[in-house]
Amino acid sequence: MIRCKRAYESPTHEDGRRVLVDRLWPRNCRKEALQLEQWHKEVAPSSELRRAFKRNELDFEAFRERYRQQLAAHPEHWWPLLDMAGKRERLTLIYAARDEEQNNAQVLAEWLEEQLERQDEQNSPPCYAAKNPS
């Protein structure tokens, strides 16, 4: 139920709840055109991490790992998004990066999906092996 979409793509009904997850506002985008429900800039990677990745000082895997560490250190930043996604509504994370596969929104979506799976595992009833009568 979580998807990622570039800020420069037109909004559609299928997007559901649209949340901008970049620290900076996308260039040349008017607020009305983005049709956002919210802007969660605090969930974005730190400015230092974003700059290092943009300058190619970090490859995507290093960026991904450091960003995940930042997410783990500040759950209060992503809990509201997890709550939205947990309601089983479509949540679209909006980002401005050119690369559609290697960006912060993709890492965040993966992180949120993992957190939802953990919640589901914790809330599911225990599974007992059926006793085999002998």
Side-chain angles (χ1 to χ4, degrees):
M1 298 300 288
I2 300 172
R3 63 185 268 191
C4 301
K5 189 171 186 179
R6 288 193 76 221
Y8 305 100
E9 294 178 47
S10 298
T12 65
H13 178 69
E14 290 81 34
D15 290 346
R17 302 178 83 171
R18 293 171 51 90
V19 178
L20 180 62
V21 293
D22 281 346
R23 194 165 295 278
L24 303 174
W25 191 263
R27 291 178 187 220
N28 301 319
C29 283
R30 293 190 1 236
K31 186 176 183 177
E32 304 79 35
L34 286 180
Q35 298 181 17
L36 298 174
E37 185 163 317
Q38 297 176 2
W39 180 15
H40 283 268
K41 57 180 142 186
E42 67 281 350
V43 78
S46 68
S47 296
E48 298 79 23
L49 181 57
R50 180 183 54 79
R51 284 185 202 115
F53 183 53
K54 190 173 182 178
R55 290 189 300 246
N56 293 320
E57 295 170 8
L58 298 172
D59 65 8
F60 182 69
E61 284 309 310
F63 168 80
R64 181 180 170 274
E65 184 59 35
R66 289 189 192 174
Y67 182 34
R68 289 175 64 88
Q69 290 170 1
Q70 289 179 359
L71 291 168
H74 295 284
E76 69 277 10
H77 294 167
W78 49 264
W79 280 338
L81 298 174
L82 190 64
D83 186 48
M84 284 183 210
K87 293 178 181 171
R88 302 299 179 219
E89 299 172 23
R90 171 74 53 129
L91 173 63
T92 300
L93 305 177
I94 306 298
Y95 65 94
R98 287 185 181 130
D99 191 325
E100 295 183 20
E101 294 179 20
Q102 296 187 342
N103 61 65
N104 64 300
Q106 296 293 342
V107 177
L108 179 58
E110 172 187 275
W111 176 269
L112 293 171
E113 292 284 357
E114 289 171 8
Q115 300 307 313
L116 285 171
E117 286 178 24
R118 284 191 187 133
Q119 279 186 351
D120 288 346
E121 288 171 5
Q122 291 173 354
N123 294 333
S124 64
C127 181
Y128 298 102
K131 292 186 179 181
N132 192 3
S134 312

